[in-house]
Amino acid sequence: MSGFATLIMVNIDCAEPPVLATFYSEVLGWDVTHTQAEYAMISDGTTSIGFGQIEGYTAPTWPDPVDAAPVPKQFHLDFYVDDLADAEERALKLGATRPDFQPAPDRYLVLLDPAGHPFCACLRS
């Protein structure tokens, strides 16, 4: 199937765009291409991730069920990694946290970025 569009960017709401831009820049090895208090962006030269400041931002309360969560998860990013333990250690050093609930820790880890968004480190194999 052929599409009619090409993904160029994903934008993520947060309270502190420069903090998330720096975090994901280190996770992915991408350049921070724009940074100011209200908006920041990283890119690999083809695709970008933008981070926009939202007044009153509240982090998702994952893993609470959607019907019970005061702030449900709206999205999450998945990243391939070669070593789960190494990826976890490096992400934690950058400011990520690890929730207690892990659906499949032998295949992937759910971590939370500094703004509380869940993301997955998925074993590349």
Side-chain angles (χ1 to χ4, degrees):
M1 180 167 87
S2 65
F4 64 91
T6 301
L7 178 67
I8 58 170
M9 178 176 233
V10 172
N11 284 281
I12 298 174
D13 297 341
C14 61
E16 299 177 282
V19 171
L20 279 192
T22 299
F23 176 81
Y24 282 109
S25 170
E26 293 291 326
V27 167
L28 293 169
W30 292 9
D31 294 327
V32 175
T33 56
H34 179 83
T35 187
Q36 65 187 65
E38 301 83 18
Y39 189 80
M41 184 187 319
I42 65 171
S43 180
D44 69 351
T46 303
T47 305
S48 299
I49 302 174
F51 306 93
Q53 186 178 56
I54 299 296
E55 187 174 320
Y57 170 80
T58 302
T61 51
W62 186 91
D64 293 339
V66 172
D67 58 344
V71 182
K73 174 182 73 165
Q74 293 93 28
F75 71 94
H76 73 273
L77 301 172
D78 290 344
F79 302 113
Y80 272 137
V81 300
D82 294 317
D83 182 303
L84 289 176
D86 179 62
E88 177 183 13
E89 179 181 344
R90 294 173 73 173
L92 294 175
K93 284 182 182 177
L94 294 171
T97 56
R98 179 182 172 158
D100 291 333
F101 177 68
Q102 294 293 320
D106 57 323
R107 294 190 339 252
Y108 64 91
L109 293 176
V110 179
L111 300 168
L112 305 177
D113 71 20
H117 301 110
F119 68 96
C120 294
C122 305
L123 195 55
R124 182 193 328 263
S125 62

